[in-house]
Amino acid sequence: MLRIALQSKGRLNEESVSLLNEIGINIDDSKRKFLSKSDSFPLEVLYLRDDDIPQVVSAGTAHLGIVGLNEVREKGFDVKIEAPLGFGGCRISLAIPKAEEYDGPQYFQGKRIATSYPNILRNYLKENNIEASIEVITGSVEIAPAAGIADAIFDIVSSGGTLVTNGLKEVEKVFWSEAVLISDGRLNAEEQALLDEILFRIDSIKISRGKKYVLMNLPKESINEAIRILPAMRSPTVLPLAAEGWCSLHSVVDEEGLWDKIRQLKAIGAEGILVLNVDKIIP
Ligand code: PRT
Ligand code: ZN
């Protein structure tokens, strides 16, 4: 039995639970307790504040955790990053009042910077030979300059909307983060086998993201041209049709640019084009 720590509420909760559900590990999130057990996989879920997840995993109270890479780096606990998960993307940036002139990182020399990420900031300042004072604030860091508590902030940015609303501009993007699966790195053989199964399933979901299954009827003489338009993972499947001179072509393709490809396929005679969602791809 493995135990995984997930954020109990907040930005990562929903996607962490749906990722587990997608890989066949049912978690009944509606009856959420502090600890709940999956009925389809030997996994127990421990719900915590995201700040506590790296420590709980490094201490071995949970074998695994899903948390932002920002928290892992900031807290500095000894955990192993098993896989990036492709959600919860954000960056930690330096931002200053928008009327200020900015001429590079030396701007921060002697300034006061408010942040909830003092360790990541301290590293950045050291690497850039900047002496600045770090004001640690938890929550609403973005109001610090207007409140006169700091000259600048170092905070999480995703759309940038919060900065704009608070009259700030992003001047240095310092650290990129997304949700990651972490482990304590000390699993026994049985636990490692369960983790390997989880990683294998996560991979199949990641490969299928942004992919569509396309099938169509096509005049036989257009096959080569269609294959050029739709490069498949290996080679597309071509099946004969009862109608003389026609075949059916199936392929898995990137969703990006798909409309353009459909236009090209129609131009070479494709008919009855179906575009289907792909759940999982096992390479
Ligand atoms: O209660 P608990 O401690 O568990 O949650 P929390 O409030 O500390 O964290 P939460 O739920 O806000 O965020 C969890 C994780 O989501 C973070 O550690 C990041 O890894 C990731 N993440 C992704 C974000 C954002 N995007 C994000 N936009 N975390 C916070 N924000 C905040 C940011 O602090 C700022 O106030 O959103 C604002 C900026 O957003 P934009 O879109 O206006 O730029
Ligand atoms: Zn938190």
Side-chain angles (χ1 to χ4, degrees):
M1 169 77 76
L2 282 182
R3 184 180 285 175
I4 189 167
L6 303 185
Q7 191 189 26
S8 55
K9 53 182 181 345
R11 285 166 207 267
L12 302 183
N13 166 267
E14 208 171 291
E15 282 182 275
S16 304
V17 172
S18 32
L19 175 69
L20 292 180
N21 284 328
E22 268 183 275
I23 62 171
I25 303 180
N26 301 334
I27 306 291
D28 188 354
D29 201 35
S30 62
K31 286 194 238 116
R32 192 194 310 158
K33 294 169 263 170
F34 176 60
L35 195 63
S36 64
K37 200 178 157 313
S38 169
D39 57 14
S40 60
F41 196 88
L43 187 83
E44 209 170 44
V45 178
L46 180 63
Y47 291 102
L48 297 173
R49 287 200 57 188
D50 68 341
D51 312 55
D52 298 330
I53 293 176
Q55 181 172 15
V56 159
V57 172
S58 90
T61 309
H63 306 94
L64 306 176
I66 294 181
V67 66
L69 183 63
N70 51 317
E71 289 298 327
V72 177
R73 281 285 174 273
E74 177 60 27
K75 298 294 187 299
F77 289 104
D78 184 22
V79 293
K80 183 170 170 212
I81 292 166
E82 298 285 352
L85 299 176
F87 62 87
C90 59
R91 54 195 185 267
I92 313 183
S93 298
L94 281 158
I96 61 174
K98 71 168 188 285
E100 288 283 303
E101 233 170 80
Y102 184 73
D103 53 2
Q106 289 306 316
Y107 170 91
F108 294 100
Q109 208 64 258
K111 296 279 200 297
R112 295 165 307 160
I113 309 170
T115 188
S116 311
Y117 295 93
N119 293 322
I120 297 174
L121 176 58
R122 197 170 297 116
N123 259 339
Y124 172 82
L125 295 175
K126 199 169 153 210
E127 273 169 20
N128 288 277
N129 297 314
I130 299 163
E131 294 276 348
S133 81
I134 299 176
E135 314 291 333
V136 180
I137 299 184
T138 50
S140 302
V141 171
E142 64 279 0
I143 64 165
I149 300 165
D151 306 304
I153 67 165
F154 179 65
D155 197 15
I156 293 186
V157 180
S158 71
S159 67
T162 303
L163 294 183
V164 172
T165 311
N166 288 279
L168 300 168
K169 62 179 176 188
E170 184 178 17
V171 291
E172 296 291 340
K173 297 172 184 170
V174 172
F175 185 85
W176 270 260
S177 179
E178 67 180 286
V180 290
L181 178 70
I182 57 173
S183 80
D184 62 9
R186 299 184 298 269
L187 302 180
N188 66 31
E190 190 191 325
E191 293 160 349
Q192 184 64 45
L194 291 174
L195 171 59
D196 288 345
E197 177 63 25
I198 291 174
L199 289 171
F200 165 73
R201 295 187 191 182
I202 288 176
D203 253 358
S204 80
I205 302 271
K206 284 205 289 199
I207 298 171
S208 71
R209 278 198 192 129
K211 295 274 197 290
K212 295 283 172 189
Y213 190 84
V214 180
L215 47 158
M216 74 207 70
N217 296 337
L218 199 68
K220 275 191 177 140
E221 68 268 16
S222 299
I223 290 177
N224 287 340
E225 183 64 3
I227 291 173
R228 193 194 57 76
I229 297 167
L230 287 183
M233 295 216 299
R234 287 237 166 78
S235 142
T237 307
V238 181
L239 301 169
L241 285 183
E244 189 64 30
W246 282 78
C247 63
S248 160
L249 185 131
H250 301 205
S251 187
V252 174
V253 299
D254 285 329
E255 188 173 10
E256 206 183 311
L258 188 59
W259 285 111
D260 191 42
K261 291 183 174 124
I262 287 174
R263 190 182 42 74
Q264 295 177 48
L265 291 164
K266 280 169 66 84
I268 60 165
E271 288 179 3
I273 302 173
L274 294 182
V275 179
L276 308 176
N277 289 331
V278 179
D279 250 15
K280 297 168 183 70
I281 295 179
I282 321 294

